[in-house]
Amino acid sequence: MMHILIAPDSFKESLSAQEVALALKEGFQAKLPGATFDLAPIGDGGEGTLEALAHNLDLTDAEVVLPHAFSENGRARYASKGQQAVFEMAEVCGLEKVPLNKRNPLTLSTQGIGEMMTILYDKGIRDLIIGVGGSSTNDGGIGMAKALGYRFFDQSGHELEAIGENLGKVATFSSQDVKSLSGLKVTVVTDVTNPLCGPKGATVTFGRQKGLAEADFDRVDRAMSHFYSQVNPSALHLSGAGAGGGMAAGLVTFASGQIVSGIDFVLDTIQFDDRVKKADLVIVGEGRLDAQSLSGKAPVGVARRTPEQVPVIAICGSLSEDLPSFPTAGISAAFPIISKVQPLEETLADAAVNLRRTAENIANLLCLKE
């Protein structure tokens, strides 16, 4: 009897990790009725992290209204228990919450992140976990810092609006009005290992998908470097600091946060190493598998901790042209689920159907082997 562990990430703007896992199970079960399943939906710092940690830490879901949250009515979710809480940057200022015609990472604010932090602190939270993937911004956390009370000034002493467009103009900053968050432990859960600046930094790697023109990459990257040369030069050499458009660096600099690998943090929490010992096959997946995925995102993170003798198959929305040939990074094979050319909205809406069909087809191949 085959035991299949299904550990997908969410499919952006389409399905939660739990919904992906359920669709895959239905597909495999239709052709392998004797198989057993272990559903382990995960997150790696981006979307799905809140759901995965809330389920496995037995946290209670809640929401607050934030002046600078991009969601409908300014509402943002979090989950908590006792003095511990978790929320996602994507829930406050995620890319999927911003209409296509309004996506500009240099003008969108991250103040909502700092607002969420102060609200939770006032509620008695002292152990705060923040997932920083999936952002729509590229401001190095300057907006979050403003919400905590920091102020930033240009060479003439004029206060600057705390957005990414003004990073290169910062000459001085003040912490005089910073609210004390004494005793607050901030764990920064990142889905990538990218540095803050340079060819693999936040701007060059993630700017395009957030609406930044390639012609602006060099200018914006230099502005980010200028800003951190002023406020915390050590962040320029910190692995993972580029996550969330530099939010990881901002939380380290302005909130004494500690960066941890998102996928490993979540896998430890859900006791993955014990669960995978029982598996004959592991299924991973995300909306788009690409070269960025190989830098520490969910599918590769799961594959890295799966015993060598257990095959890992990736089932994804699409596969990027920049991927190497498989097997690679512990993944035996990868399958895209898109079956036909159609508008993006229809493709996203059909994700569950496509997942089930792809799982059925892979299960058919497994039946041939038996």
Side-chain angles (χ1 to χ4, degrees), residues 6-11 17-18 20-21 24 40-43 283-286 298 315:
I6 302 178
D9 199 353
S10 61
F11 278 34
Q18 177 70 15
V20 173
L24 289 171
I42 58 173
I283 303 297
V284 298
E286 63 179 356
I315 301 178

Side-chain angles (χ1 to χ4, degrees), residues 19-307:
E19 291 169 331
V20 173
L22 287 170
L24 289 171
K25 178 186 176 182
E26 290 174 6
F28 279 106
Q29 200 166 40
K31 301 297 181 178
L32 298 170
T36 59
F37 299 88
D38 181 4
L39 303 190
I42 58 173
D44 56 13
E47 302 91 329
T49 304
L50 172 62
E51 184 178 80
L53 291 178
H55 175 77
N56 289 283
L57 295 174
D58 193 28
L59 306 179
T60 300
D61 291 330
E63 65 178 18
V64 296
V65 176
L66 305 172
H68 291 89
F70 297 159
S71 57
E72 186 177 356
N73 299 319
R75 296 185 178 276
R77 295 182 306 140
Y78 71 96
S80 67
K81 182 180 181 180
Q83 292 189 330
Q84 186 177 58
V86 56
F87 76 89
E88 296 174 6
M89 181 181 183
E91 181 69 21
V92 180
C93 53
L95 186 62
E96 69 178 53
K97 296 185 180 298
V98 182
L100 286 173
N101 63 347
K102 294 184 179 180
R103 292 182 179 180
N104 184 339
L106 302 184
T107 59
L108 297 175
S109 172
T110 61
Q111 282 187 235
I113 305 299
E115 291 164 358
M116 176 74 95
M117 293 172 67
T118 56
I119 288 173
L120 294 180
Y121 184 83
D122 289 342
K123 288 179 177 290
I125 297 302
R126 295 298 180 268
D127 182 3
L128 183 57
I129 302 166
I130 306 175
V132 295
S135 78
S136 60
T137 54
N138 194 82
D139 75 343
I142 190 174
M144 174 273 301
K146 179 179 180 179
L148 297 184
Y150 288 90
R151 297 292 179 264
F152 302 91
F153 306 92
D154 63 16
Q155 288 185 339
S156 300
H158 297 128
E159 184 172 354
L160 294 163
E161 183 181 1
I163 56 175
E165 186 64 57
N166 290 331
L167 289 177
K169 303 174 185 177
V170 174
T172 60
F173 70 99
S174 169
S175 59
Q176 181 177 343
D177 300 323
V178 172
K179 176 179 178 179
S180 173
L181 299 179
S182 176
L184 180 65
K185 174 187 176 184
V186 177
T187 301
V188 184
V189 183
T190 64
D191 59 347
V192 295
T193 58
N194 297 73
L196 190 58
C197 301
K200 294 184 179 181
T203 302
V204 176
T205 306
F206 308 112
R208 184 180 293 103
Q209 69 192 42
K210 300 179 183 185
L212 188 64
E214 188 169 351
D216 291 328
F217 284 3
D218 183 61
R219 173 182 67 84
V220 175
D221 187 60
R222 283 187 283 107
M224 184 79 77
S225 179
H226 164 83
F227 177 72
Y228 271 92
S229 294
Q230 305 288 318
V231 301
N232 182 14
S234 65
L236 294 169
H237 310 288
L238 186 61
S239 177
M247 177 56 69
L251 289 167
V252 169
T253 301
F254 301 108
S256 300
Q258 295 293 317
I259 294 176
V260 299
S261 164
I263 185 59
D264 286 326
F265 184 82
V266 172
L267 292 179
D268 287 343
T269 301
I270 69 172
Q271 299 180 320
F272 175 83
D273 292 345
D274 289 333
R275 295 164 70 173
V276 77
K277 291 176 183 177
K278 305 171 186 177
D280 300 301
L281 173 67
V282 172
I283 303 297
V284 298
E286 63 179 356
R288 179 172 175 79
L289 190 70
D290 56 24
Q292 291 181 24
S293 305
L294 305 184
S295 67
K297 290 197 173 184
V300 170
V302 171
R304 188 172 58 234
R305 290 177 54 163
T306 297

Side-chain angles (χ1 to χ4, degrees), residues 306-328:
T306 297
E308 187 175 350
Q309 70 274 16
V310 179
V312 178
I313 294 177
I315 301 178
C316 303
S318 63
L319 304 178
S320 173
E321 294 179 353
D322 61 5
L323 286 168
S325 298
F326 290 90
T328 190

Side-chain angles (χ1 to χ4, degrees), residues 325-350:
S325 298
F326 290 90
T328 190
I331 298 175
S332 302
F335 298 85
I337 66 170
I338 298 174
S339 61
K340 58 185 176 182
V341 177
Q342 60 186 29
L344 176 61
E345 294 78 10
E346 295 178 25
T347 298
L348 296 175
D350 290 344

